Amino acid sequence: MNIKHSILLRVRIAFLVAVLFVFAVIYRLVDIQMVEGDHWRQLAEESSLDYRTIKATRGSIYASGNDLLATSLPFYRLAFDPSLVDNKTFTSNIDSLSHLLSKYFRDHSSDYYKKKISEARQMKSRYLILNRELVNYQGRQEMLTWPIFRLGQMRGGVIFEKIDDRHRPFKKLAQRTIGRVNGDGKGVVGIEASFNDYLSGKNGEGLFQRVAGGNWKPVYASTDVRPVDGYDIHTTIDINLQDVAQNALLRALSTYQANYGAVVLMEVKTGEIKAISNLEKLESGNYAETYNFAIGTTNDPGSTFKLATMLALLESGKVELTDSVDTGDGTIEFFDGKLKLTDVKRGGYGKITVQDVFEKSSNVGIAKLVTEHFGDNPKEFVDLIKETGLGQPLGFQLLGEGEPYIKDPSDPSWSGSSLPWMSVGYETGLTPLQTLAFYNAVANDGKMIQPIIVKSINRANKPVEVFKPKVLNKKIASDETLQKLRLMLEGVVERGTAQNIKNEHYKIAGKTGTAQRLVNGRYMTQSYYASFAGYFPAEDPLYSCIVIIDNPRGWNRYGGDVSAPVFKEIADMIYAQNLDIHDSFAPQYTAANNGTFPVIRAGRLEELNELCNQLGISNYADEQASDWVRSSVNNNVVIWKKNHDNTGLVPNVEGMTLRDAVYILENIGLKVLASGSGRVKRQSVGAGVRATKGATIELELG
């Protein structure tokens, strides 16, 4: 009995302890909820607040004509704090708001949105993402007029989280040069990376509150630090010329199924790059801009390097253009037969002049000249080339410029074959842009300037930093040598390896290049790096350009066949699109070539149309053409465009005959004074100015 009593007593005590523990837990829960609730809720709210980064809006990148190349467009994520809306407003407007949300996003019914918002309000949710689809600025402005949302964030609970999205209006045009940004908004390549510190701006800091789902809601406290938006970058790229260059390159690459290609077009006097395109073949067979070969890839330049070789020969006074060179049967051996050079022409060119050696791109002739005159002192040859600045980095504005390399006799790898091998463009490494800078110097009266692609850094259209062309070498050679180099470059197109791009309208000067490709340390005899570098018009150079195409396939794989036509296509389009520079391209054209395409500027449509028809010139008027027209040229077709309306404004009479100009000007009440002969060259009152009856306008003819 005592044992039984003892067991029952222990059970009762254990039960009593358990009951007391349960009552203690219940008491503590009630105490925390009812008595200390406000205190703990305040601590929880305070612990969920944090200062977080507010990203700055990234600056934009512009082309030379203020066309947008890249910009950050503002988008917004729509969220809602339904707990802030009072009951009367919520009840009377929730149906209308749900209907508008359903109509805008077109993904769910209005009942879906009403249920979603009502449940969140019942759960006292402070942050509800209404839709994952981003809203643009116009959409945001529209939503701010909707029921409930029109009350703003503090009373209406609407939250617009700003998210910037990088946008390129011209899509793939100059894609690699413009560059891209990563998920953190930092530039990775191209201008985006090279000028990231300017473009990125300075991030701010704001107070945010953690809400349900691990999201953060802005509190908009007075202590917030506003971000400073990035600077804008203004480039030298011309959108129209970029489009021309990229399309011309793409057509050639597709035709020859090449590995990759690059084009750089530059203004001779300023060094401004107007177009730069790099296209590489993908596994799909399509071409895309994946790497900036024009800036970052060094290769043996091949025969385009012969311009530097001829500079050294001429500048040293060792040869004249009229000297003779016996190229024999077109083959020659050096270094105990370890190096054998051949010419393209079977059987060789025989005995030809130095000028012919260059124009025909004779490897045998070039190598014989260099070994004869520099064989005992190869350092003199290398020094003459390096003194021009060729072989030194350009210090280009974009990151990733390839390191140039011109072998020196002090190099451990120098051998008996190095000098003749270098003379024809091997055992060297240059990027296309570095080669172009050298050719541009020849066109620019010997002044080598640093190519630039960024003109200024702006804040709200006001430049804060301006970049001007930097002179790398005031004079790469004497005037006499430069004159001879230009003469030979013109001869390459007139009589040499690039005769296929010769035309009657303007002269091109340049040099073809066809180098064997170096693959795994060995030169491939049937795989080429084709190029053409030069400038135009030859008489008064405006643009320099280089075209390189890697490993073209097919029968015609030389620089003259593959790369030179791309150069000409770009030059032809520039010539065709800008009628005002025709006189610059061919100053003696109209006087010296009877029966060729005439320079027709402006006049009466009926008369000009009849004139062209009689001459057999294809011409037509565009849809807006009126009685008085101005001409533009597309390939070999004249297009007539409207030039004058009777609006009381001074018309553009430049290019008209005096008779037509006087007729138009006097009909709007102006008195005309003319000097000179020919067509109107200049007018004293600019086109578009309001015409004052009785006023005098002076016309200069020429």
Side-chain angles (χ1 to χ4, degrees):
M1 292 294 294
N2 291 335
I3 294 175
K4 181 179 179 180
H5 179 75
S6 176
I7 292 173
L8 288 173
L9 179 63
R10 291 176 183 176
V11 170
R12 290 186 182 115
I13 293 173
F15 177 75
L16 181 60
V17 170
V19 170
L20 290 174
F21 177 77
V22 169
F23 276 109
V25 170
I26 294 173
Y27 172 79
R28 187 56 183 158
L29 288 174
V30 172
D31 183 61
I32 291 175
Q33 288 283 340
M34 306 301 295
V35 180
E36 301 180 10
D38 292 340
H39 170 71
W40 290 112
R41 276 189 289 272
Q42 182 179 354
L43 287 178
E45 185 172 340
E46 289 176 355
S47 64
S48 67
L49 294 176
D50 190 18
Y51 279 96
R52 298 174 63 83
T53 298
I54 303 175
K55 289 186 177 181
T57 298
R58 193 171 180 85
S60 299
I61 301 174
Y62 291 88
S64 61
N66 286 329
D67 294 302
L68 269 173
L69 296 176
T71 190
S72 290
L73 297 180
F75 286 87
Y76 302 88
R77 180 181 290 117
L78 177 63
F80 187 41
D81 181 353
S83 67
L84 293 177
V85 187
D86 64 76
N87 290 329
K88 182 179 179 182
T89 301
F90 184 85
T91 302
S92 60
N93 291 284
I94 184 60
D95 289 333
S96 298
L97 178 61
S98 300
H99 173 73
L100 289 170
L101 287 168
S102 175
K103 183 179 179 181
Y104 183 89
F105 291 111
R106 297 182 180 181
D107 57 349
H108 296 292
S109 66
S110 57
D111 288 339
Y112 167 86
Y113 281 105
K114 180 179 180 180
K115 181 180 179 182
K116 182 176 182 178
I117 296 171
S118 299
E119 288 179 352
R121 179 178 173 85
Q122 188 176 3
M123 297 290 293
K124 296 184 179 180
S125 172
R126 301 294 304 276
Y127 182 86
L128 172 67
I129 295 178
L130 293 173
N131 199 293
R132 293 288 177 181
E133 181 181 333
L134 297 180
V135 177
N136 61 22
Y137 178 78
Q138 290 78 11
R140 175 181 181 272
Q141 295 302 104
E142 177 186 342
M143 290 178 178
L144 286 174
T145 65
W146 290 359
I148 301 179
F149 286 1
R150 68 169 65 103
L151 299 176
Q153 179 174 348
M154 301 309 296
R155 294 173 54 214
V158 64
I159 302 169
F160 290 100
E161 292 183 42
K162 185 171 177 287
I163 298 173
D164 286 334
D165 182 57
R166 205 63 173 164
H167 176 66
R168 286 195 300 268
F170 292 96
K171 304 300 179 184
K172 296 182 179 180
L173 203 64
Q175 179 178 339
R176 185 53 176 73
T177 301
I178 297 168
R180 60 184 176 86
V181 296
N182 59 19
D184 295 327
K186 183 178 180 180
V188 179
V189 294
I191 295 172
E192 295 277 20
S194 302
F195 290 84
N196 182 71
D197 290 344
Y198 290 98
L199 288 164
S200 60
K202 186 178 181 180
N203 292 334
E205 189 179 59
L207 187 63
F208 285 73
Q209 182 180 13
R210 186 191 294 273
V211 293
N215 297 298
W216 291 88
K217 182 184 76 171
V219 177
Y220 298 107
S222 59
T223 55
D224 289 356
V225 178
R226 294 179 63 85
V228 179
D229 293 341
Y231 291 94
D232 295 331
I233 303 296
H234 286 253
T235 73
T236 61
I237 294 174
D238 184 302
I239 284 297
N240 293 326
L241 299 183
Q242 177 69 34
D243 185 51
V244 167
Q246 189 157 313
N247 286 328
L249 178 64
L250 178 59
R251 276 190 289 272
L253 293 174
S254 300
T255 299
Y256 294 100
Q257 288 298 298
N259 291 352
Y260 69 82
V263 171
V264 184
L265 178 71
M266 185 164 67
E267 280 187 352
V268 170
K269 301 297 181 184
T270 65
E272 292 185 3
I273 292 177
K274 309 312 291 184
I276 178 170
S277 180
N278 301 269
L279 295 171
E280 183 177 20
K281 191 176 184 180
L282 307 177
E283 290 184 3
S284 63
N286 297 322
Y287 288 89
E289 289 211 337
T290 59
Y291 184 76
N292 205 325
F293 299 101
I295 296 171
T297 300
T298 59
N299 275 297
D300 292 309
S303 293
T304 55
F305 190 79
K306 290 174 182 175
L307 184 66
T309 299
M310 291 305 302
L311 181 146
L313 287 165
L314 292 169
E315 191 71 358
S316 63
K318 298 181 185 296
V319 300
E320 291 294 335
L321 297 186
T322 55
D323 292 347
S324 295
V325 183
D326 188 1
T327 64
D329 63 356
T331 61
I332 191 171
E333 293 183 353
F334 296 94
F335 199 36
D336 298 329
K338 294 181 179 179
L339 173 65
K340 181 179 180 179
L341 295 178
T342 61
D343 286 336
V344 173
K345 183 181 179 181
R346 290 185 178 182
Y349 298 106
K351 184 176 286 188
I352 55 177
T353 65
V354 170
Q355 184 170 346
D356 287 333
V357 165
F358 184 82
E359 293 175 1
K360 299 180 186 301
S361 199
S362 170
N363 292 327
V364 173
I366 289 286
K368 286 188 70 173
L369 286 170
V370 170
T371 53
E372 177 184 347
H373 296 291
F374 294 107
D376 295 333
N377 187 9
K379 189 176 186 302
E380 181 186 4
F381 171 75
V382 174
D383 288 346
L384 282 166
I385 292 175
K386 287 187 175 181
E387 285 171 5
T388 67
L390 191 62
Q392 295 296 318
L394 297 171
F396 191 56
Q397 291 171 311
L398 300 190
L399 299 173
E401 180 185 357
E403 188 70 25
Y405 169 70
I406 295 179
K407 184 176 283 190
D408 190 275
S410 61
D411 194 302
S413 64
W414 184 273
S415 67
S417 64
S418 292
L419 183 61
W421 201 222
M422 280 183 63
S423 70
V424 295
Y426 291 92
E427 295 196 17
T428 61
L430 295 173
T431 69
L433 185 61
Q434 290 159 0
T435 299
L436 179 61
F438 179 70
Y439 274 73
N440 193 81
V442 173
N444 195 27
D445 296 324
K447 183 190 292 185
M448 181 180 283
I449 53 180
Q450 181 186 55
I452 64 170
I453 198 168
V454 172
K455 293 177 69 174
S456 66
I457 299 170
N458 290 22
R459 168 78 74 189
N461 294 325
K462 292 184 179 180
V464 296
E465 188 171 352
V466 177
F467 301 96
K468 295 183 178 180
K470 179 181 177 182
V471 178
L472 301 177
N473 190 338
K474 293 182 179 179
K475 202 77 170 177
I476 66 169
S478 66
D479 288 335
E480 183 180 359
T481 295
L482 291 169
Q483 184 179 0
K484 293 174 181 176
L485 294 176
R486 287 194 287 262
L487 182 64
M488 289 189 295
L489 288 169
E490 292 179 35
V492 170
V493 179
E494 295 295 315
R495 299 171 295 276
T497 55
Q499 290 183 69
N500 56 314
I501 66 170
K502 177 183 177 181
N503 68 89
E504 297 179 351
H505 306 303
Y506 63 94
K507 283 188 175 182
I508 293 173
K511 182 71 184 73
T512 57
T514 308
Q516 295 176 11
R517 296 174 66 243
L518 186 65
V519 180
N520 297 325
R522 298 183 62 184
Y523 286 104
M524 308 295 290
T525 57
Q526 296 300 316
S527 182
Y528 301 113
Y529 178 82
S531 61
F532 184 87
Y535 52 86
F536 61 95
E539 302 90 340
D540 185 17
L542 298 177
Y543 295 95
S544 61
C545 181
I546 187 168
V547 180
I548 64 101
I549 295 180
D550 182 72
N551 196 23
R553 294 165 175 83
W555 291 104
N556 298 322
R557 292 173 289 173
Y558 298 110
D561 301 313
V562 178
S563 300
V566 177
F567 183 105
K568 183 178 183 294
E569 184 176 345
I570 295 169
D572 282 349
M573 290 301 294
I574 293 174
Y575 178 81
Q577 289 181 2
N578 193 340
L579 196 62
D580 292 335
I581 63 175
H582 277 207
D583 291 339
S584 302
F585 274 90
Q588 299 177 347
Y589 169 71
T590 55
N593 296 287
N594 293 326
T596 57
F597 196 89
V599 176
I600 305 172
R601 295 298 184 86
R604 193 172 183 83
L605 174 60
E606 182 180 356
E607 295 174 353
L608 295 178
N609 178 254
E610 182 179 355
L611 173 63
C612 285
N613 290 340
Q614 289 181 1
L615 293 174
I617 299 173
S618 179
N619 70 102
Y620 69 91
D622 70 7
E623 296 179 354
Q624 298 181 343
S626 57
D627 289 342
W628 295 95
V629 294
R630 181 164 294 276
S631 63
S632 65
V633 178
N634 188 354
N635 294 324
N636 291 322
V637 179
V638 177
I639 303 171
W640 307 116
K641 297 185 177 182
K642 182 172 66 174
N643 184 49
H644 171 61
D645 284 327
N646 295 316
T647 58
L649 302 179
V650 176
N652 181 4
V653 297
E654 291 181 2
M656 289 187 178
T657 63
L658 179 60
R659 183 198 66 175
D660 290 340
V662 170
Y663 177 84
I664 290 177
L665 295 172
E666 288 188 348
N667 273 347
I668 62 174
L670 296 176
K671 294 181 179 180
V672 181
L673 293 178
S675 61
S677 60
R679 293 178 177 267
V680 178
K681 187 177 180 181
R682 294 185 183 87
Q683 59 188 79
S684 62
V685 181
V689 176
R690 178 66 58 182
T692 304
K693 288 189 176 182
T696 299
I697 182 171
E698 297 178 4
L699 303 181
E700 180 183 347
L701 310 180

